[in-house]
Each structure stands twice: as C-alpha cells, then as structure tokens.
Amino acid sequence: MNPLQSNSLPPSYFDKLYSEDPDPWKFETREYEASKYATTIAALPKERYRSAFEIGGSIGVLTEKLEDRCDKLLSVDVSKLAQNRAKERCQHLSNVNFQIMRVPEEYPDEMFDLTLVSEVGYYWSWEDLKKSQQCILEHLEPGGNLLLVHWTLYARDYPLSGDEVHNSFFELAPNKLRHLKGQREEEYRLDLFERV
C-alpha cells in the first residue's frame, strides 16, 4: 500500500488527465497495450458470455475488442470525457451499454457471467478494493469468470500496486473463487478466476 496515497483516486484526477490528453495512457497506439489486449481476450475461457461487466472502460479500446465475445456488455467509467470517446468508438455496437459509475460506491443490480477489472484496481484504496471484491462476488454468477489485468511497475500516484490487487483476490480462493490461469509478463500480470 502506498503511504503517500491512501484514498481512492477521485474522478477529477482522471478528468484532468483526459482534458490534457484524450488518450493519456496511449491505449490506441502503444504496442504494449495492443499485445496486452490480445492476451486479455485470448485468456477468456468461454467463447461467449451472456452478460459482461467492464469496470473502468476508459476510451473503449478494450471494450470494442471484448464486445465480440458478449451478448451484452456494460462498460463503466468515472470520467465523462473518457466515456464520450468510448461511446463514439463503439457507436456501431448495439450490445454495449455505457454508464458513468464509481465502483464500489455504485454497482449494477444485475448478475454477470464475466467481470473484467483491467488497469483499474490500483486506483482504489485498500478499503474500496475490499468493498469492490464483495460487490463483484455478489454479482458474479456461479461458474462466471473474473479476469484481472494490471500493470505491475511502481506508480507514485496510485494507492495500490497491481500485485497487491491481484494477491488480495487470491485470499478469496478456494472458497469463493477458483484460480484458473495466471500469466506474468514484463510489465503486467493477468489472473483468471471462476466463481465457486
């Protein structure tokens, strides 16, 4: 846990970044992102998901790739600026819904058979991470998948590290989650779970 930053990062943090640069992490152009997205989609064990939930969809680059595997996909973000770009990118996709939502303070009522937490968990405080886990578990169908993908290098602004986020989900195994796959690359890690 980062002693410099113990609170979850607020929406204003992201709005500032997106107002200065519409693609602050270079999701559209970096080879790292393209490779990570391909690995993320390839890690999904089912060919098709009934109802998927993407937490922190940003500008929709991964959303657009994920949509192809889902009957229904709900993508949420805290930044209107980011989500407006995502809506533009995905306007031709009728199975994608967008909402401005700050997890864990808000969480959809429905049940999902896939929840994706990609590059967002380390923005939460430890307390919010634990609350988010509870929400995810309550809304993930038995046999449903939880896919985590996070950058693992140090970021001074972030309350948690990617490894702290992933390791905390292992504490829910084997009673609530079953670990199906783990993969560690130079700058990120991926862990796939199934709801018990």
Side-chain angles (χ1 to χ4, degrees), residues 45-58:
K46 297 173 188 164
E47 203 45 55
R48 198 105 194 122
Y49 289 90
R50 181 189 58 76
S51 184
F53 183 40
E54 180 187 25
I55 301 174
S58 184

Side-chain angles (χ1 to χ4, degrees), residues 8-86:
S8 292
L9 297 183
S12 57
Y13 173 90
F14 300 99
D15 282 334
K16 183 176 187 302
L17 283 174
Y18 287 113
S19 65
E20 291 167 358
D21 180 348
D23 186 7
W25 289 279
K26 306 296 174 249
F27 293 142
E28 295 173 317
T29 54
R30 277 184 71 204
E31 180 52 44
Y32 159 81
E33 296 295 346
S35 165
K36 185 187 67 183
Y37 291 152
T39 303
T40 300
I41 299 301
L44 295 172
K46 297 173 188 164
E47 203 45 55
R48 198 105 194 122
Y49 289 90
R50 181 189 58 76
S51 184
F53 183 40
E54 180 187 25
I55 301 174
S58 184
I59 61 172
V61 180
L62 181 56
T63 313
E64 190 177 31
K65 298 175 189 314
L66 185 61
E67 165 281 329
D68 199 35
R69 303 282 290 272
C70 308
D71 294 339
K72 251 178 36 182
L73 170 60
L74 172 60
S75 179
V76 303
D77 204 90
V78 296
S79 169
K80 283 192 174 79
L81 291 172
Q83 199 167 78
N84 286 341
R85 293 211 51 216

Side-chain angles (χ1 to χ4, degrees), residues 18 42-43 92 157:
Y18 287 113
H92 60 292
D157 284 356

